[in-house]
Amino acid sequence: MTSTRYREDLDLLKAAAIEAGEIALGFFRRDPQVWWKEGNSPVSEADFAVDLMLRDTLVGARPDYGWVSEEMQPDDARNISANRFFVVDPIDGTRAYLRGENTWCVSIAMVEDGRPVAGVIAAPAMGEIFEVTADGAPLMNGAPCAVSQPGEGEPLRLAMPDSMRKRVESSGGEAFVSEPAVPSLAYRLALVASGRLDGTLIRPRASDWDIAAADLLIERAGGLLCGRAGTPTIYRSEGRRHDILMAASQTAMPRLQRLAKAVPD
């Protein structure tokens, strides 16, 4: 890869994501212990093991960077005023992971001035790794990737949760091809960035760690991840949840925004 301003950070993220994937694979399909968080969301000993390794590795290498993670506890917050911080989902798609499905991933981003500038999404059970910097090409397994560019008359290939799909299908808007809704949001967005989906709708309450790395990947691949207003997301070191989001190529986005009108906030 051509050297970029963020190359050293990307190298750190990529090495950490690969090691994290190996740890997760060590628990995969081996009945790891599971606990239940608020909202009936599962978390496993694999999530905690990966999160601990990533925190030790990333913060150890960049002690002046902040830290935002899905599994962090209230007293884990550090450097919340930091200009640069990591945004981490140790295992995105934990439900799929616990069912023994392959479509889960490790998602790591480094944010600077409110926007991700380096990101890695590693899907080890799929044999895929995505990497990107704000001034470099988006790569999938080392090769450049790009969003699809469907023609105006072509139905969009879209993935979304069933509740959203039913509303969109019954709205009388333009027809689209409904693809399976991948449980891992980060990996689903990577499918958009690599052109295997034309777009996706994302239900409200997605968190920064679900989307930060994929946001940059999609942007550099020629697409956009945004809310109804069509503006890029600003990330803060305390983390936050989002309203409805959508992702597609710049040319397909207006069509996706029209379809999204059928879905309430």
Side-chain angles (χ1 to χ4, degrees):
M1 176 194 271
T2 303
S3 179
T4 78
R5 175 185 171 194
Y6 303 104
R7 181 57 196 260
E8 289 187 4
D9 283 313
L10 180 64
D11 288 346
L12 172 65
L13 266 58
K14 185 176 180 181
I18 290 172
E19 183 178 350
E22 292 173 351
I23 292 173
L25 285 173
F27 291 91
F28 188 46
R29 296 173 179 161
R30 296 185 182 182
D31 195 26
Q33 188 173 358
V34 177
W35 298 268
W36 296 90
K37 299 186 290 187
E38 184 180 354
N40 201 35
S41 176
V43 60
S44 75
E45 59 182 316
D47 295 86
F48 288 133
V50 171
D51 190 69
L52 179 61
M53 185 282 295
L54 289 174
R55 181 181 169 91
D56 287 348
T57 299
L58 297 176
V59 175
R62 302 286 190 272
D64 56 333
Y65 286 21
W67 173 261
V68 178
S69 165
E70 179 174 12
E71 307 310 338
M72 72 184 209
Q73 300 302 309
D75 57 355
D76 287 339
R78 62 180 308 279
N79 290 2
I80 60 173
S81 62
N83 180 53
R84 296 188 182 96
F85 55 93
F86 299 108
V87 183
V88 172
D89 196 335
I91 298 179
D92 186 61
T94 298
R95 291 181 187 274
Y97 176 87
L98 293 174
R99 290 194 296 264
E101 299 169 7
N102 290 334
T103 52
W104 53 271
C105 66
V106 178
S107 177
I108 311 173
M110 195 273 278
V111 171
E112 179 181 75
D113 295 327
R115 288 291 298 161
V117 293
V120 175
I121 295 172
M126 299 293 292
E128 296 175 3
I129 186 164
F130 302 83
E131 57 188 290
V132 66
T133 62
D135 55 356
L139 304 178
M140 172 185 166
N141 289 354
C145 62
V147 296
S148 61
Q149 298 292 344
E152 188 60 34
E154 294 180 69
L156 297 177
R157 298 167 299 153
L158 303 178
M160 65 191 80
D162 282 345
S163 59
M164 302 179 86
R165 176 185 56 79
K166 290 174 182 176
R167 285 182 176 273
V168 175
E169 286 179 337
S170 64
S171 68
E174 70 172 271
F176 63 94
V177 176
S178 180
E179 301 287 353
V182 178
S184 165
L185 177 50
Y187 185 69
R188 193 194 329 156
L189 291 168
L191 295 179
V192 175
S194 56
R196 289 176 283 177
L197 288 173
D198 295 327
T200 186
L201 292 179
I202 302 162
R203 71 179 66 178
R205 296 188 60 77
S207 298
D208 283 356
W209 46 75
D210 298 316
I211 65 172
D215 187 345
L216 179 61
L217 187 71
I218 287 174
E219 177 187 309
R220 297 299 296 170
L224 178 64
L225 171 65
C226 63
R228 293 195 192 276
T231 55
T233 295
I234 300 299
Y235 296 86
R236 303 181 181 90
S237 54
E238 64 270 22
R240 69 187 181 100
R241 294 186 182 275
H242 300 267
D243 295 327
I244 186 172
L245 295 170
M246 56 201 84
S249 68
Q250 297 279 358
T251 55
M253 182 57 73
R255 298 168 63 188
L256 189 58
Q257 288 174 314
R258 290 194 293 271
L259 289 170
K261 290 179 180 179
V263 182
D265 291 319

